[in-house]
Amino acid sequence: MSRAMWLVALAVVLWAYPACAQVEPEEWPDDIATEVRPHTLQLTLIDKETGKPIPEVKVRYIGADESGKFGGRDVTDANGVVAFNLPSNKLQHLGMAIRMPGYIPMGARWSGTVPAKAILLMERGTVIGGKVVDDAGEPVVGAKVHLTVERDAGQLNAGFDIAGDWVKTGEGGLWTYDRAPAGFVRAHVGVSDPRYITDELNTRKEVKPEDAIARKVVLTRRRGVTYGGVVFDTRGRGVEGAIVRLHAPENAAVQGEFKTGSKGEFQVTVDASHVGSLSIQREHFSPEKIDLSNVPAKEPLNIALQRGRMLRLKVVDTQGQPIPNAWVQLGVWRGISLNEFHQTNAAGEFTWTAAPEDDVQVSVSHQHYEAAVLLAVKASDETRIVTLRQK
């Protein structure tokens, strides 16, 4: 996964959590505190069971201020401490994600004033498991099992970051996961494997905690027709990390999503009686669409991505003043949804460097304004002005 795509994926996960990691009461940030530039946040990771610091843990972070986005990763020292050098103590948002073997993944987030110190208690995980088989009852080895396990973290403004975690099946199609929260009340489990029908978004199912702990969860994959190929650029080089989405034939809804490998390779399996289309997207490249109903089964697909075009928007109010942080949704294109969301900058501007040559439906919204839907927007050297009316 590219750095840009990782930052987007991480931002989506971290937005699910309301505020920040646990801190001592006297360390709570004051919303009207004086802005300090630069600013250092010292985060300490503590084992909740033993009370001891946890060294050598990677902590990923992403944030944004009026100047734009920033992010990266660092590692806790022998005292379980990691320090982040931030542009300011007052940010639009700052989020962190911590994942390591044997502990429940955690997420923390700040909006507004960021403290100088914070403590996050890491809780040891419970082992759950199950088995994956195909529609003939044979074990499936090497499949990805996707998990979402829900339980209150029990810490002030901290949240478990299980959504999006996954493990692979081993011998006999068996899988185990050692980072589930003890006493969890709900779990959803799904499985994906390009050798079987790609519809993981529709096959996640809720499982009983007692079945998961007893490792009795059985997931089934269906066999189908497999397509594969390579995504490459105009120079013939494989494009790694391109997002390939499988769309249903009737309504173009997304049935599954995966990424190309290091050489641009991909593989997808579909129901022979329900063949739809593929869309391919990658930063700085125009999107591409492939209608699988016109492609013979098992014929290699060689998909060339063209350099993206520029689409510029500026969002303003009825007085012509810019509206920052407005949401720009890139919607329907050639009958399918591009499924992308972006925000305008401090000047109310948004630039898309991966626009196609033809029309795209764009929606613009903000919590304090009435939404606008632009049914046909084309790439252009000119900036298109979008005016929102206040609610």
Side-chain angles (χ1 to χ4, degrees):
M1 181 182 295
S2 70
R3 181 177 181 271
M5 289 304 300
W6 170 79
L7 290 175
V8 172
L10 178 59
V12 171
V13 172
L14 292 171
W15 268 109
Y17 297 101
C20 61
Q22 182 175 3
V23 296
E24 296 301 322
E26 63 270 22
E27 295 175 338
W28 278 111
D30 181 358
D31 287 337
I32 59 174
T34 302
E35 185 171 12
V36 177
R37 288 178 173 269
H39 174 69
T40 300
L41 166 61
Q42 182 176 291
L43 178 70
T44 303
L45 301 186
I46 300 293
D47 185 310
K48 185 177 181 179
E49 181 179 330
T50 65
K52 296 181 179 179
I54 310 176
E56 299 182 2
V57 179
K58 292 180 180 179
V59 180
R60 298 177 177 180
Y61 68 99
I62 180 172
D65 62 5
E66 68 276 5
S67 301
K69 296 180 180 179
F70 59 88
R73 68 178 70 189
D74 209 332
V75 181
T76 59
D77 61 19
N79 297 313
V81 176
V82 58
F84 299 99
N85 296 318
L86 307 175
S88 169
N89 69 326
K90 300 193 75 173
L91 302 173
Q92 293 176 1
H93 66 84
L94 174 67
M96 297 183 181
I98 303 98
R99 295 193 176 190
M100 57 180 166
Y103 288 84
I104 307 168
M106 298 292 293
R109 186 178 181 276
W110 288 261
S111 291
T113 307
V114 179
K117 294 183 179 181
I119 299 171
L120 189 60
L121 302 180
M122 302 297 297
E123 188 174 331
R124 294 176 185 248
T126 296
V127 179
I128 61 175
K131 184 177 183 179
V132 177
V133 299
D134 64 18
D135 47 7
E138 295 297 321
V140 177
V141 178
K144 280 187 176 181
V145 177
H146 305 261
L147 305 110
T148 302
V149 187
E150 300 176 20
R151 199 208 78 194
D152 183 358
Q155 297 185 56
L156 186 61
N157 295 314
F160 292 137
D161 189 13
I162 301 294
D165 215 357
W166 57 270
V167 292
K168 278 193 173 183
T169 57
E171 185 176 354
L174 300 174
W175 62 272
T176 57
Y177 178 72
D178 65 355
R179 293 180 280 183
F184 64 91
V185 295
R186 188 177 295 106
H188 287 84
V189 183
V191 60
S192 64
D193 189 318
R195 300 167 297 179
Y196 298 86
I197 294 176
T198 305
D199 56 357
E200 65 181 83
L201 298 182
N202 300 323
T203 57
R204 285 179 180 258
K205 67 176 185 179
E206 185 171 347
V207 298
K208 296 179 179 179
E210 56 267 30
D211 290 340
I213 294 172
R215 306 184 192 182
K216 293 181 178 180
V217 176
V218 179
L219 303 170
T220 303
R221 303 305 296 148
R222 293 186 297 132
R223 292 166 291 181
V225 179
T226 300
Y227 296 87
V230 177
V231 176
F232 55 91
D233 62 18
T234 54
R235 296 184 180 181
R237 300 172 299 188
V239 178
E240 180 181 3
I243 300 177
V244 182
R245 294 187 176 98
L246 176 65
H247 301 269
E250 296 88 359
N251 55 16
V254 177
Q255 292 184 298
E257 179 178 311
F258 48 98
K259 292 181 177 64
T260 55
S262 59
K263 298 180 180 180
E265 72 280 5
F266 71 92
Q267 181 176 306
V268 59
T269 302
V270 301
D271 189 330
S273 63
H274 200 65
V275 177
S277 60
L278 294 178
S279 66
I280 302 92
Q281 291 175 255
R282 185 68 165 91
E283 187 178 14
H284 304 310
F285 291 93
S286 291
E288 188 58 73
K289 178 185 176 183
I290 305 296
D291 186 352
L292 294 180
S293 63
N294 298 324
V295 178
K298 297 185 179 180
E299 178 177 306
L301 292 166
N302 294 312
I303 303 170
L305 296 183
Q306 303 299 316
R307 294 300 298 179
R309 293 168 171 78
M310 289 284 189
L311 191 156
R312 297 180 175 90
L313 300 177
K314 182 167 184 176
V315 183
V316 300
D317 61 20
T318 53
Q319 304 301 315
Q321 296 301 308
I323 302 177
N325 301 318
W327 284 103
V328 178
Q329 178 184 2
L330 305 175
V332 177
W333 168 75
R334 296 187 187 178
I336 60 175
S337 175
L338 294 177
N339 198 36
E340 284 196 32
F341 294 84
H342 302 270
Q343 281 188 292
T344 56
N345 61 18
E349 298 170 338
F350 162 68
T351 300
W352 186 27
T353 61
E357 184 177 14
D358 46 346
D359 294 343
V360 178
Q361 177 182 304
V362 176
S363 300
V364 182
S365 61
H366 190 283
Q367 60 179 336
H368 299 308
Y369 296 84
E370 296 179 2
V373 179
L374 313 178
L375 296 179
V377 181
K378 277 190 175 182
S380 171
D381 291 334
E382 298 181 358
T383 299
R384 180 160 180 168
I385 305 298
V386 182
T387 302
L388 300 184
R389 297 182 179 277
Q390 197 161 17
K391 291 181 178 178

